[in-house]
Amino acid sequence: MRRVILAVTGTIAGLVALLSFKSHSPTVPVAATTGTVGGSSSSSSSTSSSSSRTIPGEFQSVAGPLTAGETAITGKVASTVYGPVQVQLIVKSNKIVKVAILEQPTNTIHDIQIGEFAFPKLIGETLAAQNAKIDAVSGASYTSAGYISSLQSAVDHGL
């Protein structure tokens, strides 16, 4: 009889703990730089698609209206096993001054976390190197390869 009471009490306590657990939903960041190496700003959006997130039309230009002498160059969409990656460069006097991520994998929270970790590093390296010959980020090999592929297509098209 004691074992039954103990089992029922334990089951009820576990069920109460399980039902009182509150989870949170993540936000999807958009990586963009303001033009300094390693500096980045991000904004959040609660909309996401099943495989990738495309930035709405108003963000197709990284910094809104371009200043005199700036040109926006959009790279081709690079398909990775986790989803598409696409970058946009802002070039002034043949120098990359800003980089934005237009598409990135967002299938899972892990994809989002990898993007939050990898894209700022990749953007910083791009601004420092001023070309597509940059190193991949460890732990984000496929995402890095997609970024570099899209970056190379933009560089080939505009620099």
Side-chain angles (χ1 to χ4, degrees), residues 10 16 20 23 34 36 53 67 71 76 78 87 101 115 128 138 141 154:
V16 168
S20 66
S23 65
T34 56
T36 59
R53 192 167 82 86
T67 61
T71 306
K76 293 181 181 177
V87 300
I101 307 302
S138 179
S141 301

Side-chain angles (χ1 to χ4, degrees), residues 29-33 51-57 59-62 72-90 98-106 115 119-120 122-123 126 142-155 157:
V30 178
T33 66
S51 64
S52 71
R53 192 167 82 86
T54 304
I55 310 305
F59 293 106
Q60 291 299 315
S61 178
V62 185
I73 304 167
T74 303
K76 293 181 181 177
V77 177
S79 295
T80 70
V81 294
Y82 297 108
V85 177
Q86 184 178 28
V87 300
Q88 182 183 56
L89 306 176
I90 300 297
K98 297 175 187 169
V99 179
I101 307 302
L102 299 181
E103 286 190 53
Q104 65 184 28
T106 57
F119 288 128
L122 293 166
I123 290 169
T126 301
Y142 293 109
T143 301
S144 296
Y147 175 91
I148 293 169
S149 175
S150 183
L151 175 63
Q152 184 65 57
S153 71
V155 168
H157 186 263

Side-chain angles (χ1 to χ4, degrees), residues 15-129:
L15 189 58
V16 168
L18 182 64
L19 293 175
S20 66
F21 179 74
K22 304 280 189 240
S23 65
H24 68 281
S25 61
T27 58
V28 180
V30 178
T33 66
T34 56
T36 59
V37 176
S40 68
S41 65
S42 59
S43 62
S44 299
S45 172
S46 61
T47 59
S48 66
S49 65
S50 62
S51 64
S52 71
R53 192 167 82 86
T54 304
I55 310 305
E58 63 192 336
F59 293 106
Q60 291 299 315
S61 178
V62 185
L66 300 175
T67 61
E70 287 185 343
T71 306
I73 304 167
T74 303
K76 293 181 181 177
V77 177
S79 295
T80 70
V81 294
Y82 297 108
V85 177
Q86 184 178 28
V87 300
Q88 182 183 56
L89 306 176
I90 300 297
V91 178
K92 185 174 186 177
S93 302
N94 286 334
K95 183 177 179 185
I96 301 170
V97 293
K98 297 175 187 169
V99 179
I101 307 302
L102 299 181
E103 286 190 53
Q104 65 184 28
T106 57
N107 286 336
T108 65
I109 186 69
H110 187 64
D111 293 340
I112 295 167
Q113 290 171 339
I114 287 175
E116 287 176 344
F117 172 75
F119 288 128
K121 290 183 179 195
L122 293 166
I123 290 169
E125 284 193 41
T126 301
L127 293 173

